[in-house]
Amino acid sequence: MKNLIYILIAAVMVACGNDDKKEEKHESYNNLEFKVPAKKMTPETLWALGRVGNVTVSPDKTKVLYTVSWYSVEQNKSFSDIYIKDINIGDIKQLTFSDDVKEQNVIWRPDGKKIGFISGKSGRSQIWEIDPDGKNARIITDIPGDVDGFIYAPDQTHIAYAKKVKVEPNVHDLYPDLPKANAKLMDDLMYRHWDEWVNGEFSHIFITNYNYTNKELIGEGTDIMKGEPWESPMRPFGGMEQLSWSPDGKKLAYTARKKKGIDYATSTNSDIYLYDLESASTTNLSEENKGYDKNPVFSGSGNMIAWESMERDGYEADVNRLVIHDFVAETDFIYENDDLNVSSLTWDANDEGIYFISDWHARDHIYRFDLLNKENTQLTKGDFDYTSIHVGDGNLIATRMSISHPTDIYLINKETGEAKNLSNINKPILDQLTMGKVEERWVKTTDNQDMLVWVIYPPNFDPNKKYPTLLYCQGGPQGTVSQFWSYRWNFQIMAANDYIIVAPNRRGLPGFGKRWNEQISGDYGGQNIKDYLSAIDAVAKEKYVDNDKLGAVGASYGGYSVLYLAGHHEGRFKAFIDHDGMFNFESMYLETEELWFPNFDIGGPFWEKNNYRAQRSYRFSPHNFVDNWDTPILIIQGGKDFRVPESQGFMAFTAAKIKGIPAELLYFPDENHWVLSPQNGVLWQRTFFNWLDKWLK
């Protein structure tokens, strides 16, 4: 049996390697051919684009490591491969050629001699290593279950990894004589989260010894959260960026929200915990702060650690501050700027400054905070969104996207902010496309404020023609309408279908100051709805806008906006599309899983009759205004969406049909708050445009 296991492992190692047969099948992405029909963005074109991820810089700062994920609509799945770019020479080399599995969590080993990643080639998600030239791929762990993520200790003595462990019993544990019982027994309010049922399993952090000269596979490590009924990294958005090793490899910082049940559902109070390997003890570094604390990053010397922090409990859109904890002085320094929200914290080479990304005026740019003079400097400019930062050799390596360009990797001059594209992942396809013009406008609101509105025009726009026009309603609600490239709500594919898109940064969005961002909470049907109408009314005055062919579309809070506008648009719109929008606030309060959200933004439960903020909010519920509905509406809903549960979409669709309004329901039983599978994504796009074309063309 043991020999058979080694034979299987050897076969898997070969399958994961850089063999000639697979190399012939997969050429470099710069040589890929994809014919774009009529140079027009289509759903198939959108899903043919490669998506960059896992960007890291080699320890000697000369190479960039990254993955590119490709999607097969026909097979309805994705695969990813590892690439390496020499910054000085400019060469790009593909290291893996995998059709059937993803390489993920791709990182450099601290000595730069190996590249680590997670692969499912062995039948379970385990840690693999490969040489920087793509040779000698081999599995290095035999850990029970699946490894979800990992990071090397800087001294290469340990690996920290995350995996799910069973902490609490389920029905079959309690009643082993009923193995075919299909039921869930729950006494905890947090019985489901995002898109999965909580079944007693939680993601825990393990630390295991790492000896890279040992040919034996690495086994299970120590669960540093043993018996704890909570998780790290935190679902649903957290990854290994929520962990950080100290430079000497003796301590591990991690993020966790150590709460359970109703406390977990009603609080955002996560903390930064420091685990000491020698004493096996854990210390809470952020206990005094009651809001989000996450994403710790040790300084190069190890004398300091920084993290992102929000002050208020229960408020996910609070100002994101920079906290720096000094271990020597045992003090915390907090940098807070009401105009900026720090993210992607990265120490500079000498620990004298921290780079971060913040949105401002609908663009996400790179800043540097100087620790010596406590001053902040913006390094990059332009109509782009930067999404990650890495320190290179006298420069920065960053990922960047825009409304007209998917994510690529760039070399940034730290002095001038000048950027050079290092990856050009989708150049063969993008060179065939004609993108629509993106225009920045400032529109006066009803209360005489200036609002930034993006207007995206069809390719080959003719000002003498009249175009149907879409009002885009953003979700969040506090999600900036920045220079983002989306694979679902993509402005360029809307423009390619001969629509003008109006995308306002209405009240309730970050990037325009704290007051602008916070105004929306408790006022869902108020000023921000007026902002939407100000934006569409301003653009509708143009001679090239067909005022009889206006539509409104949006998801999540944007879906709510559409449902609310359906009862208040005063004949402006001829078609609506709502995706996962809130329809009935009262039922929503008792159905959603993270109650801190309606507690803060709505104001509390509907039965608190003396709670003026809450009672005012419940009057903004779209179901109260169905009597005014008179416009065709498409409802899109995910069955695994526990944030805005499926009943919200079902109720809205039923209301429209009872009213005799033309309506369709596109229901995805296996999708969550997003649409993630390729064929569902293409179906989403086709249904989206079929509906709009039917009523607006």
Side-chain angles (χ1 to χ4, degrees):
M1 184 67 180
K2 184 176 180 180
N3 290 335
L4 176 60
I5 291 174
Y6 284 124
I7 291 172
L8 290 173
I9 291 172
V12 170
M13 288 164 59
V14 172
C16 193
N18 190 0
D19 62 272
D20 294 338
K21 184 177 180 181
K22 288 198 172 185
E23 192 161 357
E24 290 176 4
K25 190 173 181 180
H26 295 279
E27 298 181 9
S28 169
Y29 55 75
N30 285 312
N31 297 320
L32 290 175
E33 292 187 6
F34 183 89
K35 299 301 182 183
V36 178
K39 295 188 180 298
K40 176 182 176 180
M41 179 81 79
T42 66
E44 291 77 13
T45 306
L46 198 61
W47 281 90
L49 296 172
R51 309 185 190 186
V52 67
N54 284 196
V55 179
T56 57
V57 179
S58 61
D60 65 3
K61 310 299 183 185
T62 64
K63 298 178 179 65
V64 180
L65 183 71
Y66 59 99
T67 60
V68 180
S69 295
W70 307 97
Y71 287 78
S72 168
V73 174
E74 180 182 0
Q75 298 178 53
N76 200 34
K77 68 176 186 179
S78 67
F79 64 92
S80 65
D81 289 314
I82 304 173
Y83 295 82
I84 192 168
K85 166 84 173 186
D86 190 302
I87 299 173
N88 298 318
I89 300 175
D91 291 344
I92 295 176
K93 181 177 178 59
Q94 184 172 346
L95 303 186
T96 60
F97 301 83
S98 301
D99 281 344
D100 50 352
V101 296
K102 296 180 181 180
E103 276 84 45
Q104 56 191 11
N105 197 147
V106 180
I107 54 176
W108 289 95
R109 201 170 69 180
D111 62 3
K113 295 180 179 179
K114 291 284 186 180
I115 293 165
F117 60 94
I118 292 176
S119 172
K121 286 279 188 181
S122 67
R124 290 179 287 122
S125 293
Q126 296 292 308
I127 302 173
W128 291 65
E129 287 184 339
I130 192 171
D131 292 345
D133 62 1
K135 297 179 181 179
N136 300 317
R138 74 180 186 99
I139 190 171
I140 68 166
T141 60
D142 182 20
I143 294 170
D146 291 317
V147 177
D148 297 322
F150 79 102
I151 49 175
Y152 293 102
D155 63 354
Q156 293 185 188
T157 58
H158 296 88
I159 290 177
Y161 65 90
K163 74 164 209 172
K164 284 188 175 180
V165 297
K166 180 176 285 188
V167 177
E168 299 172 335
N170 59 27
V171 166
H172 297 130
D173 297 319
L174 296 172
Y175 303 101
D177 60 325
L178 304 175
K180 295 183 179 180
N182 183 14
K184 304 179 191 302
L185 181 63
M186 296 156 288
D187 62 358
D188 191 317
L189 179 61
M190 204 64 188
Y191 55 90
R192 59 182 187 176
H193 193 197
W194 186 248
D195 60 1
E196 65 181 5
W197 293 85
V198 177
N199 60 1
E201 292 185 343
F202 300 87
S203 175
H204 278 194
I205 304 301
F206 289 74
I207 296 177
T208 187
N209 291 326
Y210 174 68
N211 184 347
Y212 61 89
T213 63
N214 192 337
K215 295 182 179 180
E216 294 294 325
L217 297 182
I218 298 169
E220 187 82 291
T222 300
D223 182 353
I224 68 172
M225 303 170 64
K226 188 173 180 62
E228 297 182 7
W230 32 72
E231 64 193 1
S232 181
M234 299 189 301
R235 286 274 295 160
F237 307 120
M240 298 308 288
E241 75 282 352
Q242 294 193 349
L243 284 71
S244 180
W245 280 103
S246 63
D248 61 8
K250 295 181 178 180
K251 295 180 174 63
L252 179 73
Y254 66 93
T255 310
R257 182 159 39 136
K258 296 194 174 185
K259 295 181 178 296
K260 194 175 185 307
I262 193 169
D263 291 334
Y264 188 96
T266 58
S267 174
T268 59
N269 185 13
S270 62
D271 284 303
I272 306 300
Y273 293 90
L274 189 65
Y275 179 79
D276 187 299
L277 273 67
E278 293 181 356
S279 64
S281 60
T282 301
T283 305
N284 187 343
L285 296 180
S286 60
E287 188 171 8
E288 293 184 3
N289 186 58
K290 301 306 177 185
Y292 270 131
D293 292 290
K294 59 182 181 179
N295 302 344
V297 186
F298 272 96
S299 65
S301 66
N303 292 332
M304 294 176 285
I305 187 171
W307 64 81
E308 302 168 27
S309 176
M310 294 184 184
E311 184 175 10
R312 284 172 283 181
D313 191 8
Y315 186 29
E316 67 167 345
D318 204 356
V319 173
N320 214 25
R321 310 171 301 170
L322 166 65
V323 174
I324 301 172
H325 177 77
D326 189 320
F327 289 104
V328 178
E330 296 185 350
T331 58
D332 287 343
F333 169 79
I334 299 176
Y335 170 66
E336 181 174 357
N337 185 325
D338 285 352
D339 291 338
L340 300 178
N341 288 281
V342 304
S343 66
S344 302
L345 303 181
T346 306
W347 290 87
D348 65 11
N350 54 18
D351 290 357
E352 293 180 354
I354 293 180
Y355 298 102
F356 66 89
I357 294 173
S358 177
D359 51 348
W360 181 246
H361 283 185
R363 301 158 179 90
D364 292 0
H365 279 290
I366 300 174
Y367 297 77
R368 182 182 183 275
F369 181 76
D370 191 303
L371 271 66
L372 299 179
N373 58 28
K374 303 297 188 292
E375 291 182 356
N376 182 52
T377 304
Q378 182 176 341
L379 300 183
T380 59
K381 296 180 180 179
D383 290 341
F384 315 109
D385 276 3
Y386 284 91
T387 56
S388 69
I389 319 167
H390 310 271
V391 175
D393 184 13
N395 49 46
L396 298 176
I397 310 296
T399 49
R400 190 181 88 181
M401 62 181 173
S402 74
I403 290 174
S404 303
H405 198 289
T407 302
D408 262 317
I409 306 167
Y410 290 81
L411 181 70
I412 310 295
N413 185 306
K414 292 194 299 184
E415 303 301 323
T416 66
E418 182 181 354
K420 175 186 176 182
N421 194 330
L422 294 177
S423 55
N424 279 305
I425 290 166
N426 295 295
K427 190 176 188 301
I429 296 178
L430 296 176
D431 283 350
Q432 302 178 64
L433 293 171
T434 301
M435 296 292 183
K437 175 187 175 183
V438 180
E439 176 184 273
E440 173 187 351
R441 289 197 182 195
W442 288 87
V443 171
K444 284 291 184 183
T445 62
T446 57
D447 57 347
N448 202 37
Q449 299 295 309
D450 292 317
M451 174 174 59
L452 190 155
V453 178
W454 296 116
V455 181
I456 301 91
Y457 296 89
N460 306 311
F461 170 72
D462 182 352
N464 296 312
K465 290 176 56 177
K466 282 190 175 291
Y467 292 88
T469 300
L470 304 177
L471 172 67
Y472 169 74
C473 302
Q474 173 71 331
Q478 295 93 351
T480 181
V481 184
S482 59
Q483 280 284 323
F484 64 78
W485 175 275
S486 171
Y487 285 92
R488 187 167 68 258
W489 294 95
N490 186 282
F491 295 149
Q492 288 294 350
I493 196 173
M494 298 180 200
N497 280 271
D498 276 339
Y499 289 95
I500 294 173
I501 300 91
V502 179
N505 278 271
R506 44 86 180 152
R507 228 60 59 99
L509 298 188
F512 300 88
K514 182 177 181 180
R515 183 176 179 182
W516 185 277
N517 186 53
E518 295 193 358
Q519 192 280 331
I520 196 171
S521 299
D523 190 43
Y524 273 21
Q527 184 60 50
N528 81 103
I529 297 295
K530 296 176 184 177
D531 291 348
Y532 281 134
L533 297 177
S534 294
I536 193 66
D537 288 348
V539 179
K541 294 176 182 177
E542 302 290 353
K543 64 178 183 179
Y544 44 76
V545 171
D546 190 337
N547 281 279
D548 292 327
K549 302 295 182 183
L550 302 182
V553 301
S556 194
Y557 180 82
Y560 158 79
S561 302
V562 168
L563 295 172
Y564 189 83
L565 285 169
H568 296 84
H569 68 108
E570 298 177 342
R572 285 177 175 83
F573 301 107
K574 297 302 185 289
F576 291 117
I577 297 181
D578 150 53
H579 182 159
D580 291 350
M582 297 175 288
F583 173 74
N584 186 318
F585 281 8
E586 291 189 5
S587 61
M588 170 74 181
Y589 183 85
L590 296 177
E591 291 177 324
T592 192
E593 17 80 286
E594 292 193 328
L595 281 173
W596 47 260
F597 177 78
N599 279 344
F600 190 94
D601 257 38
I602 302 298
F606 56 85
W607 56 79
E608 293 182 353
K609 301 302 181 182
N610 294 325
N611 182 339
Y612 172 78
R613 177 185 171 95
Q615 292 306 313
R616 181 174 184 271
S617 289
Y618 284 103
R619 290 199 292 272
F620 291 136
S621 178
H623 84 281
N624 292 324
F625 306 99
V626 171
D627 57 325
N628 295 331
W629 284 20
D630 58 4
T631 304
I633 188 166
L634 168 65
I635 306 293
I636 306 175
Q637 184 67 48
K640 290 186 176 180
D641 185 354
F642 299 152
R643 187 61 45 88
V644 182
E646 62 185 21
S647 58
Q648 297 292 312
F650 293 164
M651 285 189 288
F653 175 68
T654 300
K657 298 302 286 188
I658 290 174
K659 286 275 295 179
I661 297 168
E664 286 185 3
L665 172 65
L666 178 60
Y667 177 65
F668 295 106
D670 297 323
E671 298 287 2
N672 55 31
H673 204 53
W674 303 324
V675 178
L676 301 177
S677 74
Q679 291 196 10
N680 283 346
V682 172
L683 176 60
W684 189 98
Q685 295 282 358
R686 290 178 182 175
T687 306
F688 182 92
F689 290 113
N690 286 342
W691 182 258
L692 293 176
D693 291 352
K694 180 178 181 179
W695 300 104
L696 301 183
K697 290 184 179 178

Coordinates of all heavy atoms in Angstrom, one line a residue, residues 58 75 91 158-159 164 235 263 347-349 414-415 503 509 511 544 550 554 626 630 634 647 668:
S58 N 10.0 38.4 -6.3 CA 11.0 37.5 -5.8 C 11.8 38.2 -4.7 O 11.9 39.4 -4.6 CB 11.9 37.1 -6.9 OG 12.6 38.2 -7.5
Q75 N -16.6 23.8 -21.1 CA -16.4 22.9 -20.0 C -17.0 23.5 -18.7 O -17.0 22.7 -17.7 CB -14.9 22.6 -19.8 CG -14.3 21.9 -21.0 CD -12.8 21.7 -20.7 OE1 -12.4 21.0 -19.7 NE2 -12.0 22.1 -21.7
D91 N 11.5 39.0 -20.2 CA 11.0 37.7 -20.6 C 9.9 37.2 -19.7 O 9.9 37.5 -18.5 CB 12.1 36.6 -20.6 CG 13.1 36.9 -21.7 OD1 12.8 37.6 -22.6 OD2 14.2 36.3 -21.6
H158 N 9.1 27.0 9.5 CA 7.7 26.6 9.7 C 6.9 27.0 8.5 O 7.3 27.9 7.7 CB 7.1 27.2 11.0 CG 7.8 26.7 12.2 ND1 8.9 27.3 12.8 CD2 7.4 25.7 13.0 CE1 9.2 26.7 13.9 NE2 8.3 25.7 14.1
I159 N 5.7 26.4 8.4 CA 4.7 26.9 7.5 C 3.4 27.1 8.3 O 3.1 26.2 9.1 CB 4.4 25.8 6.3 CG1 5.6 25.8 5.4 CG2 3.2 26.2 5.6 CD1 5.5 24.7 4.3
K164 N -10.1 23.7 7.2 CA -11.3 23.6 8.0 C -11.2 22.4 9.0 O -10.7 21.3 8.6 CB -12.6 23.4 7.2 CG -13.0 24.7 6.5 CD -14.4 24.4 5.8 CE -14.9 25.7 5.2 NZ -16.2 25.5 4.5
R235 N -14.4 34.6 6.8 CA -15.3 34.5 5.6 C -16.1 35.8 5.5 O -16.4 36.4 6.5 CB -16.3 33.3 5.9 CG -15.6 31.9 5.7 CD -15.7 31.5 4.2 NE -17.0 31.3 3.7 CZ -17.3 31.3 2.4 NH1 -16.4 31.5 1.5 NH2 -18.6 31.1 2.1
D263 N -23.7 37.3 18.9 CA -22.6 38.2 19.0 C -21.9 38.3 17.6 O -21.5 39.4 17.2 CB -21.6 37.8 20.1 CG -22.2 38.0 21.4 OD1 -23.1 38.9 21.6 OD2 -21.8 37.3 22.4
W347 N 5.0 47.9 3.7 CA 6.1 48.6 4.2 C 7.2 48.9 3.2 O 7.4 48.1 2.3 CB 6.8 47.9 5.4 CG 6.0 47.7 6.6 CD1 5.1 46.8 6.9 CD2 6.0 48.6 7.7 NE1 4.5 47.0 8.2 CE2 5.1 48.1 8.7 CE3 6.8 49.8 8.0 CZ2 4.9 48.8 9.9 CZ3 6.6 50.4 9.3 CH2 5.6 49.9 10.2
D348 N 7.8 50.1 3.2 CA 8.9 50.3 2.3 C 10.2 49.6 2.8 O 10.1 48.9 3.9 CB 9.2 51.8 2.1 CG 9.7 52.5 3.4 OD1 10.0 51.9 4.4 OD2 9.7 53.8 3.4
A349 N 11.2 49.6 2.1 CA 12.4 48.8 2.3 C 13.1 49.1 3.7 O 13.7 48.2 4.3 CB 13.4 48.9 1.2
K414 N 8.7 55.2 -8.4 CA 8.3 55.7 -7.1 C 8.4 57.2 -7.0 O 7.7 57.9 -6.2 CB 9.1 55.1 -6.0 CG 8.9 53.7 -5.7 CD 9.5 53.2 -4.4 CE 11.0 53.4 -4.3 NZ 11.6 52.9 -3.1
E415 N 9.2 57.8 -7.9 CA 9.4 59.3 -7.9 C 8.3 60.0 -8.7 O 7.8 61.0 -8.4 CB 10.8 59.6 -8.3 CG 11.9 59.0 -7.5 CD 11.8 59.4 -6.1 OE1 11.5 60.5 -5.8 OE2 12.1 58.5 -5.2
A503 N -23.2 56.4 -14.8 CA -22.8 55.7 -13.5 C -22.4 56.8 -12.5 O -21.3 57.2 -12.4 CB -21.6 54.8 -13.8
L509 N -21.2 56.8 -1.2 CA -20.1 56.2 -1.7 C -18.8 56.8 -1.1 O -18.7 58.0 -0.9 CB -20.0 56.3 -3.2 CG -21.2 55.7 -4.0 CD1 -20.9 55.7 -5.5 CD2 -21.4 54.2 -3.6
G511 N -14.7 58.0 -1.1 CA -13.9 58.7 -2.1 C -14.3 60.1 -2.3 O -13.7 60.9 -3.0
Y544 N -28.3 63.3 -28.1 CA -28.0 62.0 -28.5 C -28.6 60.9 -27.6 O -28.4 59.7 -27.8 CB -26.5 61.7 -28.7 CG -25.6 62.3 -27.6 CD1 -25.6 61.6 -26.4 CD2 -24.9 63.4 -27.8 CE1 -24.8 62.1 -25.3 CE2 -24.1 64.0 -26.8 CZ -24.0 63.3 -25.6 OH -23.3 63.8 -24.6
L550 N -35.0 54.9 -21.7 CA -34.1 54.9 -20.6 C -34.4 53.7 -19.7 O -35.5 53.3 -19.5 CB -34.3 56.1 -19.7 CG -34.2 57.5 -20.4 CD1 -34.4 58.6 -19.3 CD2 -32.8 57.7 -21.0
G554 N -29.1 47.4 -11.7 CA -28.2 47.3 -10.5 C -28.4 46.0 -9.7 O -29.3 45.3 -9.9
V626 N -45.4 49.1 -4.4 CA -45.7 48.2 -5.5 C -46.9 48.8 -6.3 O -47.1 48.6 -7.5 CB -45.9 46.8 -5.1 CG1 -46.4 45.9 -6.2 CG2 -44.6 46.2 -4.6
D630 N -45.3 50.1 -12.8 CA -45.9 50.0 -14.1 C -45.0 49.7 -15.3 O -45.3 49.9 -16.4 CB -46.7 51.4 -14.4 CG -45.7 52.6 -14.4 OD1 -44.5 52.4 -14.2 OD2 -46.2 53.7 -14.5
L634 N -36.9 42.8 -15.0 CA -36.3 41.5 -14.9 C -35.7 41.4 -13.6 O -34.9 42.2 -13.1 CB -35.2 41.4 -16.0 CG -34.2 40.3 -15.9 CD1 -34.9 38.9 -16.1 CD2 -33.0 40.4 -16.9
S647 N -35.8 34.7 -1.3 CA -37.2 35.1 -1.2 C -37.4 36.6 -1.6 O -38.5 37.0 -2.0 CB -37.7 34.9 0.3 OG -36.8 35.6 1.2
F668 N -30.7 31.4 -10.4 CA -29.5 30.6 -10.4 C -29.4 29.8 -9.1 O -29.0 30.3 -8.0 CB -28.2 31.4 -10.5 CG -28.1 32.1 -11.9 CD1 -28.3 33.5 -12.0 CD2 -27.7 31.4 -13.0 CE1 -28.1 34.1 -13.2 CE2 -27.6 32.0 -14.2 CZ -27.8 33.4 -14.3

